[in-house]
Amino acid sequence: MSSSLFDYEPRDWRTDTDDRLRFALVGVGWWTTEFVLPAIETTEHCVTTTVVSGSTEKTDRVRREYETVEHGLTYDEFADGEASDGYDAVYVCTPNATHLEHVEAAAEHGKAVLCEKPMEATVERAERLVAACEEADVPLMVAYRMHTEPAVRRARELIRDGAIGEPVLVNGENSQPLLEMIDDPDQWRLNPDLTGYGTSVMDLGIYPLNTARFLLDADPVRVQSTMDSPHEAFSEVPDQVATFSVVFDDGTHAACSSSQRGADHTRLEVVGTDGRVVLEPAFHMETQLTVERDGETVEFDTEGVDQMAEEFEYFAQRVLAAEPLHADGEHGLVDMETIAAIHEAAESGETVNVE
């Protein structure tokens, strides 16, 4: 296998700026405290100056731990614009069905927005979220951290360069033991009023779906799906476990599975006419790339990165340099439309077009 296939700079998005983007983090739950705050501390162009939560105990604790954090706000104070001169951008990491209100507030205050995926609980609310940013003329990026993961970017370039021939199939898996991770059957991911269409596809299946889109530079056109929720804790959501197939507009077919009650496992494979690329593990903060072609298998020695730091650094540099962002709101809407179609397909038992 030609070594030239591996000569690639995954951080081709870097810009020339010495400035730092000041962040307000909206939502101070497990993900923000365990991954986001520590990651931002390691970046060159990001700094956390403000945290927003419904719990003053949480904001006070963060302010004690991180000396850069000057302001701890309630959600109402944030919406009212208190301390809005103390930050430049807003990261939204709250339950899906609450993203809209926080993004609307950020847009009203003229702040750039980094919104966690999925964008919202429904397509309609996601459309309103995108419209709010467009009307306020503020940058919006959906937080697909796989897009800035060097192993994924390397795989994308290999596929583009024809290393595996013409893509034909995608196989994707993403599962985790949700109730072991968060021992609370009343948690928001199991509440349809907060999570949206369901739990496994919204939270986990979106990873193979969106990463496949990124690797192939293609969008879904139709889907099929099956779902089930046999465990009592999942009685309010349809997809404790889900399988779904996707046909992309480039002709590639994908078969994906996701479950919130399985072992921690992630994998994504793109099979082409001449070989395949495999990401395993793929999504849970570790990514390893293997390429197979002509009977030869190469495990690429991918540089280990903090995926959240990489994502925030990308966002900050692009915003500071006034450069376009990927993935933008329109990109995120395609995922929302596809997830809605996947749930419709499971309910109807029919093939559903993505619209």
Side-chain angles (χ1 to χ4, degrees):
M1 192 178 300
S2 172
S3 62
S4 64
L5 289 176
F6 295 93
D7 296 333
Y8 170 63
E9 170 50 59
R11 297 183 183 89
D12 55 0
W13 43 263
R14 288 193 179 277
T15 60
D16 293 325
T17 179
D18 295 324
D19 295 332
R20 289 202 300 178
L21 197 68
R22 301 171 303 164
F23 279 90
L25 308 183
V26 180
V28 192
W30 162 72
W31 187 261
T32 298
T33 56
E34 293 295 319
F35 295 102
V36 177
L37 280 159
I40 290 176
E41 287 281 286
T42 69
T43 63
E44 296 179 28
H45 297 87
C46 310
V47 59
T48 304
T49 60
T50 305
V51 289
V52 184
S53 174
S55 166
T56 55
E57 180 183 348
K58 288 183 179 179
T59 56
D60 288 346
R61 183 170 66 247
V62 172
R63 290 182 67 189
R64 288 193 299 268
E65 187 172 352
Y66 294 90
E67 61 181 21
T68 63
V69 179
E70 302 170 355
H71 308 287
L73 306 177
T74 66
Y75 292 128
D76 287 341
E77 289 169 341
F78 169 73
D80 290 341
E82 187 170 326
S84 60
D85 59 349
Y87 57 90
D88 313 300
V90 174
Y91 169 68
V92 177
C93 186
T94 55
N96 301 339
T98 64
H99 289 180
L100 175 60
E101 61 193 85
H102 302 312
V103 172
E104 285 179 330
E108 182 180 344
H109 305 327
K111 309 301 181 180
V113 176
L114 177 59
C115 180
E116 265 301 341
K117 58 79 202 157
M119 292 171 64
E120 245 286 348
T122 67
V123 172
E124 294 75 19
R125 289 179 64 83
E127 289 173 340
R128 289 170 56 190
L129 186 155
V130 173
C133 292
E134 289 179 346
E135 291 168 5
D137 194 25
V138 298
L140 167 64
M141 177 174 142
V142 186
Y144 295 108
R145 56 185 164 81
M146 304 315 299
H147 291 194
T148 50
E149 159 59 52
V152 174
R153 295 180 73 85
R154 187 66 55 97
R156 184 188 196 211
E157 194 71 8
L158 289 169
I159 293 169
R160 284 181 167 181
D161 288 347
I164 62 169
E166 180 181 346
V168 177
L169 297 171
V170 174
N171 298 297
E173 305 163 38
N174 195 358
S175 61
Q176 65 184 16
L178 180 63
L179 294 176
E180 293 180 18
M181 298 165 56
I182 305 172
D183 186 17
D184 179 8
D186 295 323
Q187 60 183 280
W188 70 263
R189 285 180 179 84
L190 301 178
N191 180 347
D193 291 335
L194 293 176
T195 188
Y197 299 113
T199 183
S200 289
V201 180
M202 293 283 283
D203 193 39
L204 301 177
I206 194 171
Y207 278 94
L209 169 65
N210 182 265
T211 308
R213 290 180 59 202
F214 183 71
L215 292 176
L216 300 170
D217 193 20
D219 287 335
V221 292
R222 61 184 183 273
V223 301
Q224 295 177 318
S225 179
T226 60
M227 300 176 179
D228 197 10
S229 289
H231 190 277
E232 61 182 2
F234 293 83
S235 61
E236 298 299 317
V237 290
D239 59 332
Q240 170 188 318
V241 59
T243 60
F244 57 94
S245 60
V246 181
V247 179
F248 290 92
D249 56 13
D250 67 347
T252 306
H253 286 236
C256 301
S257 59
S258 59
S259 178
Q260 292 279 26
R261 192 167 182 259
D264 193 329
H265 176 67
T266 70
R267 186 176 189 273
L268 187 69
E269 173 188 48
V270 180
V271 180
T273 53
D274 298 326
R276 63 188 184 126
V277 297
V278 180
L279 298 166
E280 186 176 5
F283 310 125
H284 292 179
M285 305 305 284
E286 294 181 81
T287 308
Q288 181 62 47
L289 170 63
T290 301
V291 182
E292 182 181 291
R293 176 176 171 164
D294 299 328
E296 183 180 358
T297 300
V298 175
E299 292 186 4
F300 186 74
D301 187 16
T302 311
E303 177 186 356
V305 299
D306 183 322
Q307 292 178 350
M308 294 308 297
E310 203 81 355
E311 176 183 73
F312 270 82
E313 188 69 4
Y314 167 87
F315 177 81
Q317 289 198 34
R318 302 294 286 184
V319 169
L320 289 168
E323 294 287 346
L325 291 163
H326 184 81
D328 61 12
E330 292 301 322
H331 180 93
L333 280 177
V334 173
D335 281 338
M336 291 298 304
E337 292 161 354
T338 305
I339 291 170
I342 289 169
H343 280 267
E344 180 183 343
E347 185 173 353
S348 68
E350 299 178 354
T351 300
V352 175
N353 293 328
V354 179
E355 300 176 352

